[in-house]
Amino acid sequence: MEIEIDNKYAPVVAFAYNRADKILGCLKSLENNPEANSTILYIYCDGAKSENGAAKVEETRKALREYKKTAGFKETYLIEAEKNKGLAKSIIEGVTEVINKHQKAIIIEDDLVLSEDFLKYMNGALDYYQDNKNIGVISAYTYPIKGLSEYQKDIYIMHKGDCWGWATWADRWNDADWADVDFQQYFKDKKLRRRFENTENGWDLLMLLQSQGKISSWAVRWVLNLLKNDLWTVYPRYSLVTNNGFDGSGTHSNKSEESHYFAELVKVDHDIIFENLSPDVLLEKQAAVFPRKGFKAGVKYWLKRIYVLFFDLKRIF
């Protein structure tokens, strides 16, 4: 398909699977953005994992085909996978395809609800930081951390990376070499592992599970790549994304364990001022207290950490 490239507005890449109500709610919140009618939307729908799940996947696809007829975007493309790829492969392949056409992209998943300032912020940040090679990612979600209550700037920066409404450029994304990890080297590098774990409790365990083939995560590899290359993430002071998936319906969602991540959407009453700042150490420390999404602080988390310790001892001896 021939697509007219408009560098003013980054395309949005949305990922859906088997939750028709979630993806429709997400896209309708995106339509409330004034920039939506100038934005190209790509929707990637993964295939069913088994025959048992095929009905819900097809229900979601039918809903999206119908939605596409009246969608309020400049152009809407629906890409339906013939077979199940899994979330990691779907995101890696989908983002790569779109970002290499447009050189930048905004990425969302089905359980997000977006502020009507979402696209204005994302496009403004992508333009402002395009030539700042310290910046690897733009995040529209922000953590409900105490330090922001008296914070005076519109944005802050951390060594981190998040997946609830984010954006990047082709050069940063492709530099991840998508995204091979030398696990032997990683597990020998104690300093890197501590830094990685200290951005958000749980990353090091996820890397162990990734190395063992027990999970397949694009995010753990992406954030490690950002950290290794000292690439920073820009966050808004007020969250422009909230998550609607705390009902247990998602692959990695758990109502009881993740509700502390909930952030209310805010209507920004002024033009957001972007600045070239350095990572904020205080805010990084406060954000690091939050366990990695899918992990609960407390006994369960530390039992998982003990599992990592046994892995280290086993590898040494």
Side-chain angles (χ1 to χ4, degrees), residues 21 28 40 43 59 192 293:
D21 59 333
K28 287 174 182 176
I40 297 174
I43 310 169
E59 176 189 337
L192 175 62
K293 301 169 186 69

Side-chain angles (χ1 to χ4, degrees), residues 110-129:
D110 62 355
D111 54 5
L112 303 180
V113 178
L114 311 167
S115 163
E116 61 188 68
D117 296 308
F118 174 79
L119 288 177
K120 182 178 181 180
Y121 163 79
M122 284 298 210
N123 283 289
L126 284 168
D127 289 344
Y128 187 88
Y129 296 106

Side-chain angles (χ1 to χ4, degrees), residues 15 27 30 46 59 63-64 67 92 96 102 109 111 120 135 254 261 266 303 306 314:
F15 292 91
L27 296 179
L30 185 63
D46 201 6
E59 176 189 337
L64 287 169
Y67 171 78
I92 292 168
T96 300
H102 298 268
E109 295 179 42
D111 54 5
K120 182 178 181 180
I135 305 300
N254 184 298
Y261 281 100
V266 172
L303 286 174
I306 291 170
K314 189 176 180 181

Side-chain angles (χ1 to χ4, degrees), residues 23-298:
I23 188 61
L24 292 179
C26 174
L27 296 179
K28 287 174 182 176
S29 71
L30 185 63
E31 276 194 75
N32 290 331
N33 285 246
E35 299 80 8
N37 61 11
S38 300
T39 299
I40 297 174
L41 172 67
Y42 297 86
I43 310 169
Y44 283 84
C45 300
D46 201 6
K49 293 178 183 177
S50 66
E51 289 186 10
N52 291 337
K56 290 190 73 174
V57 169
E58 184 56 28
E59 176 189 337
T60 302
R61 294 183 175 196
K62 284 182 178 179
L64 287 169
R65 291 173 201 143
E66 197 62 30
Y67 171 78
K68 184 173 179 280
K69 296 175 184 178
T70 58
F73 299 92
K74 181 179 179 180
E75 298 173 61
T76 302
Y77 298 96
L78 186 58
I79 302 98
E80 300 177 2
E82 293 182 7
K83 298 180 180 179
N84 181 263
K85 297 180 178 181
L87 182 60
K89 189 174 181 181
S90 293
I91 288 182
I92 292 168
E93 291 184 357
V95 173
T96 300
E97 182 177 32
V98 173
I99 212 166
N100 285 327
K101 288 177 182 173
H102 298 268
Q103 300 307 302
K104 55 187 175 181
I106 300 166
I107 297 90
I108 58 176
E109 295 179 42
D110 62 355
D111 54 5
L112 303 180
V113 178
L114 311 167
S115 163
E116 61 188 68
D117 296 308
F118 174 79
L119 288 177
K120 182 178 181 180
Y121 163 79
M122 284 298 210
N123 283 289
L126 284 168
D127 289 344
Y128 187 88
Y129 296 106
Q130 180 175 348
D131 296 324
N132 184 340
K133 300 305 181 181
N134 290 321
I135 305 300
V137 191
I138 310 299
S139 175
Y141 169 79
T142 204
Y143 288 73
I145 50 183
K146 293 181 180 178
L148 292 176
S149 61
E150 298 180 358
Y151 191 74
Q152 298 300 310
K153 297 181 182 296
D154 287 337
I155 62 97
Y156 63 102
I157 289 175
M158 295 197 293
H159 291 91
K160 205 165 176 58
D162 273 284
C163 55
W164 286 354
W166 57 281
T168 191
W169 303 265
D171 57 351
R172 278 72 147 187
W173 178 259
N174 291 329
D175 277 352
D177 291 330
W178 249 111
D180 290 331
V181 177
D182 185 332
F183 293 111
Q184 185 174 9
Q185 182 180 22
Y186 170 79
F187 288 115
K188 286 181 179 179
D189 193 335
K190 301 297 184 183
K191 184 177 179 181
L192 175 62
R193 291 177 66 182
R194 282 195 300 271
R195 287 177 62 211
F196 194 36
E197 181 67 11
N198 287 339
T199 63
E200 193 170 46
N201 295 342
W203 278 127
D204 189 49
L205 174 59
L206 287 180
M207 187 57 70
L208 172 58
L209 297 175
Q210 179 83 21
S211 71
Q212 295 175 338
K214 293 179 179 177
I215 63 168
S216 178
S217 169
W218 68 273
V220 70
R221 290 176 280 165
W222 175 231
V223 177
L224 178 64
N225 172 76
L226 295 172
L227 189 67
K228 287 172 67 176
N229 290 288
D230 199 27
L231 294 173
W232 308 337
T233 302
V234 177
Y235 291 84
R237 178 184 176 187
Y238 300 109
S239 192
L240 303 175
V241 172
T242 193
N243 193 296
N244 193 31
F246 298 131
D247 54 6
S249 64
T251 303
H252 304 294
S253 73
N254 184 298
K255 185 175 182 179
S256 63
E257 294 188 2
E258 294 192 349
S259 58
H260 53 272
Y261 281 100
F262 178 77
E264 291 188 6
L265 295 183
V266 172
K267 170 62 180 162
V268 182
D269 60 3
H270 62 277
D271 288 340
I272 291 176
I273 297 175
F274 298 105
E275 300 178 66
N276 286 309
L277 306 175
S278 295
D280 190 297
V281 176
L282 175 62
L283 296 179
E284 283 188 325
K285 287 182 178 179
Q286 292 181 353
V289 173
F290 288 82
R292 176 63 198 155
K293 301 169 186 69
F295 291 82
K296 187 177 181 179

